[in-house]
Amino acid sequence: MQLRNYIIRRIAAAIPVLIGVSMLTFFLSHVIPASPEILWAGGERARPEQIQRIRELYHLDKPVISQYGYYLRDLLSGDLGISPVSNRPVIEDIRDYAPATFELALLSMLLSILIAVPLGIVSAIKENSWVDHFTRVFSLAGVSMPIFWLGLAVQLIFYYKLDLIPAAGRLSVWLDPPTRITGMFLIDSVLTGNWEIFWDALRHILAPALVLAYQSIALLTRLVRSSMLEVLSQDYIRTAKGNGLSYRRTILIHALRNALIPTVTVLGLRFGYILAGAVLTETVFAWPGMGRFSVGALSSLDYPSIMAFAQLVALCIVITNLIVDVLYGVLEPRTRYS
């Protein structure tokens, strides 16, 4: 009951946050000194009546505050608008592009956890060994290296020089996408039993996922290492060892569980950074996801698509932070949702 009430309160508190994000994004995008209706109508060759019709359709002939009122009214009714570039409902564009980004982001998060947590644990246990020194150099490079540069370097070495990875895309051109269930090729191919598509999709996604995950791996490795070192110096760890508890059980049950509490917090924040970093990664690897979608929307001043992308990212971050807060209760039973 207490947890349920806590979740309800957090969801209610997220509503003003989403409205604030929509206001900020809307007014920042609409104060750009440009004439998007001319661009949407086809450029300088557009007829005046076409331009006027677009202005009326998107309420561009109204004050900005009135335009936001129309947008908020449509948003509350579940209408994200019509894209003036694709001439399709924005919700359909989101449905086409979002699964590719979520697949990339989720795999990146999974790789971050699977690589960073063991690496941080080993680095802390073998402090000042060659493993620890390597881990620190690896982490320093990860937090210092720009994503777009790393992506280009990976393509140059592993595609152009060694021909080990595909150049771009989600699937080879001779393969058809699996039957759509979630829109994520890896999951859909497993659910439909199409293993040829699964291995081909995995081969295409692995490089961009690792590039996108590298900064998170570096940050989480350093965090797990420092948390483990702090926890291993606590009295209860020495007491556990003195009582004859096995070394493995002491590390994995008592030390790691407490060391993961700050790591879980950063994981929630990193998901937002991964979604933002997907814009660069998807552009470099020609990945047909929300990153490339947002870049196209910005270059064409596609206001409805820009707003939809901002709201989707904000919603994902709010939900992720809520999940992180609930996980606190699992890792730390003394947590009270009051």
Side-chain angles (χ1 to χ4, degrees):
M1 179 67 71
Q2 195 176 35
L3 176 59
R4 185 187 66 183
N5 293 337
Y6 173 78
I7 293 175
I8 293 174
R9 287 197 305 271
R10 284 296 303 271
I11 292 174
I15 295 175
V17 173
L18 295 175
I19 293 176
V21 169
S22 71
M23 290 181 62
L24 185 62
T25 308
F26 189 91
F27 288 110
L28 285 178
S29 61
H30 281 66
V31 297
I32 297 175
S35 300
E37 64 272 19
I38 298 177
L39 182 62
W40 299 346
E44 298 297 336
R45 296 183 179 181
R47 297 191 300 272
E49 56 271 21
Q50 288 179 304
I51 297 175
Q52 183 59 31
R53 185 173 65 86
I54 289 177
R55 287 178 61 85
E56 294 174 357
L57 179 63
Y58 290 95
H59 310 293
L60 298 177
D61 54 342
K62 303 281 194 309
V64 176
I65 189 66
S66 298
Q67 295 178 41
Y68 179 71
Y70 285 115
Y71 166 77
L72 199 59
R73 179 199 64 186
D74 295 338
L75 180 64
L76 293 176
S77 64
D79 182 9
L80 296 179
I82 305 293
S83 169
V85 177
S86 64
N87 293 319
R88 302 174 60 204
V90 174
I91 189 65
E92 293 185 6
D93 288 335
I94 295 292
R95 192 179 295 118
D96 289 343
Y97 288 103
T101 295
F102 283 124
E103 184 176 42
L104 182 61
L106 290 174
L107 183 59
S108 297
M109 284 291 292
L110 180 62
L111 290 173
S112 300
I113 296 170
L114 293 179
I115 296 174
V117 173
L119 204 57
I121 294 173
V122 173
S123 181
I125 294 174
K126 301 191 177 295
E127 186 182 9
N128 294 325
S129 66
W130 69 268
V131 176
D132 188 27
H133 295 317
F134 168 79
T135 299
R136 283 187 281 183
V137 172
F138 174 81
S139 300
L140 181 62
V143 297
S144 307
M145 202 175 301
I147 289 180
F148 72 89
W149 185 91
L150 179 61
L152 292 173
V154 167
Q155 283 193 323
L156 175 64
I157 297 173
F158 293 98
Y159 166 69
Y160 184 74
K161 296 292 186 181
L162 302 178
D163 194 26
L164 294 177
I165 64 172
R170 299 180 70 187
L171 277 179
S172 300
V173 293
W174 58 84
L175 290 177
D176 294 324
T179 303
R180 185 184 178 101
I181 300 175
T182 65
M184 303 181 193
F185 287 179
L186 291 176
I187 297 177
D188 290 350
S189 59
V190 170
L191 294 177
T192 57
N194 197 327
W195 297 106
E196 180 184 9
I197 292 180
F198 174 82
W199 293 114
D200 190 79
L202 183 62
R203 185 167 172 262
H204 279 76
I205 197 176
L206 205 52
L210 283 171
V211 168
L212 186 56
Y214 188 24
Q215 283 189 351
S216 297
I217 293 171
L219 180 64
L220 292 174
T221 299
R222 296 174 67 182
L223 184 60
V224 172
R225 177 186 179 275
S226 61
S227 298
M228 282 292 295
L229 287 175
E230 182 179 354
V231 170
L232 289 174
S233 64
Q234 298 296 316
D235 292 338
Y236 70 89
I237 296 296
R238 288 193 289 268
T239 302
K241 293 178 181 177
N243 289 335
L245 202 64
S246 68
Y247 184 72
R248 177 178 297 181
R249 184 175 178 84
T250 302
I251 295 297
L252 297 181
I253 302 299
H254 295 276
L256 180 60
R257 183 168 184 173
N258 289 284
L260 284 181
I261 293 177
T263 306
V264 168
T265 304
V266 175
L267 271 175
L269 298 174
R270 288 308 301 177
F271 188 73
Y273 285 109
I274 283 178
L275 287 176
V279 175
L280 293 174
T281 306
E282 290 180 3
T283 302
V284 171
F285 285 92
W287 189 263
M290 292 296 295
R292 294 186 65 197
F293 169 75
S294 64
V295 170
L298 287 170
S299 61
S300 58
L301 296 178
D302 186 346
Y303 292 157
S305 298
I306 294 172
M307 295 299 302
F309 176 75
Q311 288 296 104
L312 181 62
V313 172
L315 181 62
C316 289
I317 293 175
V318 167
I319 293 174
T320 304
N321 286 333
L322 176 60
I323 294 173
V324 167
D325 287 346
V326 173
L327 283 177
Y328 274 150
V330 177
L331 294 173
E332 178 52 82
R334 292 173 297 180
T335 300
R336 294 293 180 264
Y337 298 103
S338 58

